Amino acid sequence: MFIVLEGVDGCGKSTQAKLLGEYLKGLGKLVVLTAEPSKSMVGVALRQILRGDAEVDARTLALLFTADRMEHLKAEILPALESGKIVVCERYVLSTVAYQAAQGVDAQWILELNRFAPKPDVSFLLEADPKTAAARAKSGEIFEREDFLKRVTQNYYAYGGELIRIPPQSVDKVQAAIRKVVAGRI
Ligand code: TYD
């Protein structure tokens, strides 16, 4: 089973992924927690760009995130799924659509580029107020600005038809909402 968590910077994806992993392990499942950008060579280059070490065209960024996804699938996601594990992944195709379209890249082109990527069994959008999220996301990466995160949120709504939206509420309540959906599908 392939589960994806999406949302703007600072929405609490990592906390929720960890809690979901603990829940699934408690049910006796084998779980792999992973995230994009991944640990691939391309992912390492992306981290440098996100820190502001180098500037590239937004289309280049869309291509790099997509290339990283190809490597991530091959090295981590597909082998785990094939051996029957549950994969919980922070960010996937819709992150590239939402973020790079917010930079002005054509969303349909990004979707086309990502046609190779298998669809998750279930994807969540952890909703967050862009202002709160921008204030919380303080790793110094380039996209952590309120106005930008507003556009990202609009794109998640516009292109994320399959996303299950979880409204902002306490960590425990968000986790309970996620577990309810997941429990119904495993
Ligand atoms: P991430 O480490 O998930 O940041 P956070 O934990 O703060 O949410 O992602 C790093 C940044 O990369 C984040 O600003 C979102 C951006 N990003 C894209 O722009 N496109 C993509 O395809 C992905 C996967 C991430």
Side-chain angles (χ1 to χ4, degrees):
M1 185 180 195
F2 184 19
I3 303 170
V4 168
L5 301 182
E6 291 283 358
V8 296
D9 301 58
C11 73
K13 286 183 303 299
S14 305
T15 305
Q16 295 298 335
K18 223 173 112 225
L19 291 170
L20 180 60
E22 283 166 14
Y23 166 70
L24 291 167
K25 282 177 196 159
L27 295 179
K29 307 287 179 194
L30 294 173
V31 184
V32 172
L33 295 183
T34 187
E36 296 190 351
S38 81
K39 295 185 285 247
S40 80
M41 259 174 65
V42 187
V44 172
L46 278 164
R47 285 287 168 203
Q48 293 176 355
I49 297 167
L50 290 167
R51 279 200 304 267
D53 293 358
E55 219 175 297
V56 299
D57 187 275
R59 286 164 298 187
T60 306
L61 212 42
L63 290 165
L64 289 174
F65 277 116
T66 303
D68 176 52
R69 184 159 305 121
M70 183 102 69
E71 294 306 306
H72 190 206
L73 278 162
K74 206 168 160 183
E76 298 184 63
I77 299 175
L78 293 176
L81 291 175
E82 275 154 24
S83 63
K85 294 178 181 153
I86 298 183
V87 175
V88 178
C89 183
E90 291 175 51
R91 302 194 177 282
Y92 193 58
V93 175
L94 284 171
S95 276
T96 314
V97 177
Y99 278 75
Q100 276 57 63
Q103 293 186 284
V105 182
D106 181 66
Q108 294 307 329
W109 179 68
I110 300 171
L111 286 165
E112 182 66 23
L113 278 178
N114 278 273
R115 236 177 39 193
F116 69 90
K119 294 252 174 301
D121 295 296
V122 54
S123 328
F124 295 95
L125 176 64
L126 307 189
E127 295 188 287
D129 165 45
K131 192 172 183 167
T132 320
R136 218 188 289 157
K138 284 246 178 290
S139 64
E141 292 185 340
I142 56 179
F143 294 136
E144 297 165 352
R145 294 188 339 260
E146 184 188 338
D147 56 335
F148 186 80
L149 296 183
K150 260 189 201 154
R151 294 211 296 279
V152 172
T153 301
Q154 289 312 314
N155 288 337
Y156 272 127
Y157 293 158
Y159 301 104
E162 72 269 36
L163 288 170
I164 296 174
R165 290 196 207 175
I166 311 285
Q169 51 201 316
S170 71
V171 169
D172 289 355
K173 284 191 177 150
V174 170
Q175 182 61 205
I178 294 174
R179 287 182 183 182
K180 199 169 165 198
V181 173
V182 171
R185 307 210 186 181
I186 47 177

